[in-house]
Amino acid sequence: MNNQITITDHYIAHRDELLAYVSSRLGDHAEAEDVVQNVYLRLLTTEKMITPVTLPCLTYTIARNLICDYFRRHNLNKEYAHEFAHAQMEGYSMEPHIFAKELTGRIEHCLMRVPENCREVYRMHVYDGMKVGEISTLLGENYKSVEYRLGTARREVRRHMQAAAI
């Protein structure tokens, strides 16, 4: 209850200031209104303790993250729209291409949980089509070591992809 009063007071005092900040970043007043509303909605629904000292920083951090999410979505939509228009002109379906991009993104997200040396081997094998022997020669490392790192990366990617599918 105390959080709600603190957040409400902050909203009344600083909403216009936050709206100006978000509008200057997005350039779209209607979208900025939505972002500001989502900032305060997130603040009101959080379980964490909020104090008047931490609230301003938290508000701007949430706003910045929502702005980044907006640009990510906007750029992704623009990219897909461009590719979709090109595909229609060429007369082929975009579904396999979009699926492949999404799958690659999910794999890359899973790879972030793997040590860098395993990531490197996995990318060389999957994206570049290199065999384990070629990778070990290129890196100047033991065949078994490269094979082990590839197996580690595969297990981790498989585990996270299966967990995401549930």
Side-chain angles (χ1 to χ4, degrees):
M1 184 67 182
N2 192 20
N3 275 354
Q4 286 182 344
I5 294 168
T6 304
I7 294 167
T8 303
D9 291 344
H10 188 273
Y11 177 82
I12 292 167
H14 299 285
R15 180 197 170 275
D16 292 336
E17 176 186 324
L18 184 63
L19 182 59
Y21 169 78
V22 174
S23 291
S24 71
R25 301 309 191 266
L26 296 182
D28 181 0
H29 187 74
E31 197 65 42
E33 288 274 354
D34 290 344
V35 168
V36 170
Q37 181 179 353
N38 285 336
V39 166
Y40 285 102
L41 180 64
R42 285 189 183 191
L43 288 169
L44 286 169
T45 58
T46 188
E47 300 283 325
K48 298 176 183 168
M49 188 175 103
I50 298 173
T51 67
V53 174
T54 60
L55 186 57
C57 293
L58 184 59
T59 302
Y60 279 92
T61 300
I62 293 171
R64 188 185 68 237
N65 290 341
L66 290 175
I67 290 167
C68 289
D69 290 346
Y70 169 81
F71 282 121
R72 250 185 244 117
R73 275 193 320 275
H74 184 70
N75 287 339
L76 187 64
N77 289 342
K78 192 170 24 172
E79 178 183 327
Y80 281 150
H82 172 71
E83 291 179 13
F84 185 71
H86 180 70
Q88 283 184 324
M89 288 190 306
E90 297 293 321
Y92 65 89
S93 172
M94 276 298 293
E95 287 181 25
H97 182 68
I98 292 172
F99 177 74
K101 272 194 153 186
E102 288 177 0
L103 184 59
T104 302
R106 290 178 71 191
I107 289 171
E108 285 298 319
H109 181 73
C110 294
L111 282 175
M112 295 312 293
R113 295 177 170 86
V114 180
E116 177 60 38
N117 59 356
C118 296
R119 241 183 286 168
E120 176 185 23
V121 169
Y122 184 88
R123 287 180 180 137
M124 293 169 92
H125 180 72
V126 173
Y127 299 146
D128 300 334
M130 296 174 73
K131 294 181 175 21
V132 175
E134 296 170 329
I135 297 170
S136 68
T137 302
L138 180 70
L139 297 178
E141 295 184 12
N142 185 341
Y143 181 92
K144 284 292 185 183
S145 172
V146 172
E147 188 176 52
Y148 175 79
R149 291 190 309 198
L150 178 60
T152 301
R154 282 180 170 166
R155 277 189 301 280
E156 198 64 24
V157 168
R158 192 177 314 120
R159 186 171 69 83
H160 286 290
M161 293 295 272
Q162 287 173 346
I166 293 176

